[in-house]
Amino acid sequence: MKNDKHQISPRGSFSGRLGYVLAMAGSAVGLGNIWRFPYLAAKYGGGMFLLVYLLLVVTFGYVLLVSETALGRMTRKSPVGAFAAFGKSLPFRLGGWVNAIVPMIIVPYYCVIGGWVLKYLVGYLGGGAAALAGDGYFDGFIAASGSVTLWFVLFSLLVFLVILAGVKQGVERVSKVMMPALVLLAVFVAGYSVTRPGALEGVKYFLVPNFADFSWMTVIAAMGQMFYSLSIAMGILYTYGSYLGKDVDIERSTIQVELFDTGIALLGGMMIIPAVFAFSGGDMSVLKAGPALTFITLPKIFASMGAGTFVGIAFFLMFLFAALTSAISLLETSVSTWVDELHWSRPKACVLMVAVMAAVGLPSSLGYGAWSGVQLFGMAFLDFFDFLSNSILMPLAALATCILIIRVTGTQKIAEEVELSSAFHRKKLYTFFLKYLAPACITIIFLSSIASVLGLITL
Ligand code: PFF
């Protein structure tokens, strides 16, 4: 197979499969693995959540990863352009834009959580390991509106600076060291966490499915998490696929990305859930602490270690890096959508994104403090934006991709794109999942999300 990467310039291209897998892993591994996955798994059924999540990753996630990458490579376009390549009517435009809009909703509240990570890192640097581990510390912090907003703004500034200064290359180089270091440290912390007295109960809760823990919310949350963690249904893979050489084995790289991302999410769960049992006796209110869980639990683990301050600094530094690289790719995608589609300059697109960040990020950062009285459909702002993007817009974006393939391109065309570089071993499975399983799952999930928001059903 010929490598056509020279023909596709000036559009950038990856240097090969390794470049692509590393870039994808950099985007995939972030807050989703260490912050979002553990709290959802703890809240929505432990082992049951894990089982549903894994099933979704190997079926649905696999189908979407392959489809989006192949469509991006085929059209050499980001999502809006990729959809437009097949038709100019409203449904095509909507399909492209629903994919493109998701990162714009995620990036502001992603930066709010990034701000929390930054705050904790600075806290450890200032020798506050004991204070950070204190009961109620986190709740006090997120209720202090001024401080939490300051950290959100600082983290966002970091992200904008990198994007404007174009030092993304440098960040990527550094993250090649940081990411493996994060994995090693996470293995160490998880090992420490599972060997604490009482932690085995937590390991059991996290790994062994108990059917009594099943609810529709388990499926909805697991699906939203799968989209979020694998960076699918938000235009990223179209864009990355468009940079991909025709010689790169899409099937194999997809599997590698899935393994890597899921591995780190498992490590996240193994660090945090057993520790909840060891340090809080599996207290249900801690287990269901939601977005706060990682920030309550990690400091307790570190405080109980001899060298807690040192481990805390190292861990939060790498965690910050993982969050930063993901936030950069979210913002970069958002900015390039405006640049490509509206032919705006980069600074102008950045100004618009500053406005979006303020409009979505500020309420998210204030929603647990000054604005905690305001609830949207019973949720704080941050939880609402998270729900809106993960449980409503991403299923819609995924549905648009499935419909595009089923009604317009046909699965055969996707298979041909994959086969340009390698045999497509799971072609039959892919076709079956895409045609029947994926649309059915998405529709059910989408409708139940809406029904639950409207209070028609309790999930
Ligand atoms: N997958 C990232 C995470 O799990 O934290 C979130 C993300 C980053 C999604 C970048 C999309 C993206 F473009």
Side-chain angles (χ1 to χ4, degrees), residues 30 107 114 153 289 292 303 316 353 374 406 438 440:
V107 71
V153 172
F316 274 97
M353 285 312 297
V374 191
I406 295 169

Side-chain angles (χ1 to χ4, degrees), residues 27-33 110 228-231 234 236 326 329-330 333:
S27 163
V29 174
L31 295 172
N33 307 64
Y110 204 89
Y228 189 97
S229 191
L230 292 172
S231 305
M234 52 183 111
I236 287 276
S326 293
S329 84
L330 279 162
T333 322

